Amino acid sequence: MALEIERKYRVANEEWKPLASAKKHIRQAYLADTEQISLRVRIKDATTATLTIKTATPGHTRQEFEYPIPLADAEELLQARTGSVVVKTRHIVPAGNLAWEIDVFEGENAGLVLAEIELEHADQPFEHPAWLGEEVTFDRRFYNSELARVPFSQWS
């Protein structure tokens, strides 16, 4: 069983930008999204693709299973999605032996910038940089699967 333990935050300012060491352009969509699981197809930099199954348990710990798939299959699966395609650029900001993933959303989710950090265990300490804003780990609106269903641009 693969566990994903992550914390998610809004980003308060752009002080993280000079610290970014890499970036990837991501397009992803959901083929299924139920109370139990989400099934996601993701294309990175138009060169690699994955199919991911995640449990839908709210919070910082979920099961996650990710498998590489052919790019052509991923492009085809995007057409079978529910909701919108979520488009973002993911920037990597090193933080000691961990790394922040800063997602700058585009399209219907433009204006939203989120930071995630994956941990080895739920109570693992980590640095909280000054550019980090409000924690949204437990707020389902900020899950990518929810952003595909109700994009940030439609929030009131």
Side-chain angles (χ1 to χ4, degrees):
M1 171 173 58
L3 280 181
E4 175 190 59
I5 303 168
E6 72 179 11
R7 304 275 295 272
K8 186 180 289 201
Y9 296 81
R10 294 195 73 168
V11 173
N13 59 54
E14 296 185 350
E15 293 175 11
W16 60 271
K17 283 187 173 183
L19 307 172
S21 62
K23 69 179 180 178
K24 298 173 192 156
H25 190 259
I26 296 172
R27 289 184 301 136
Q28 66 186 42
Y30 292 84
L31 307 174
D33 186 27
T34 70
E35 290 183 19
Q36 291 80 30
I37 65 150
S38 66
L39 177 60
R40 176 187 75 206
V41 61
R42 174 182 277 176
I43 299 172
K44 292 181 187 174
D45 289 331
T47 59
T48 61
T50 54
L51 194 60
T52 305
I53 304 163
K54 284 187 179 188
T55 57
T57 310
H60 50 65
T61 304
R62 299 188 283 171
Q63 294 175 324
E64 178 182 68
F65 306 91
E66 188 167 81
Y67 306 96
I69 63 171
L71 185 59
D73 291 357
E75 292 286 359
E76 190 73 25
L77 286 170
L78 282 178
Q79 304 310 309
R81 72 185 181 271
T82 61
S84 302
V85 174
V86 175
V87 181
K88 59 189 176 180
T89 300
R90 173 165 288 169
H91 302 264
I92 306 301
V93 176
N97 62 342
L98 301 173
W100 286 99
E101 296 176 340
I102 313 297
D103 289 341
V104 179
F105 289 84
E106 303 169 27
E108 293 180 291
N109 291 299
L112 181 61
V113 182
L114 297 176
E116 297 179 354
I117 192 164
E118 288 199 18
L119 306 171
E120 293 177 17
H121 51 85
D123 58 352
Q124 180 178 354
F126 59 93
E127 177 187 347
H128 291 73
W131 46 263
L132 213 56
E134 165 195 14
E135 182 169 11
V136 295
T137 301
F138 296 94
D139 188 339
R140 291 185 63 91
R141 294 177 304 156
F142 293 95
Y143 288 13
N144 285 284
S145 58
E146 289 294 320
L147 292 171
R149 188 175 15 236
V150 182
F152 184 64
S153 63
Q154 294 179 15
W155 297 10
S156 26

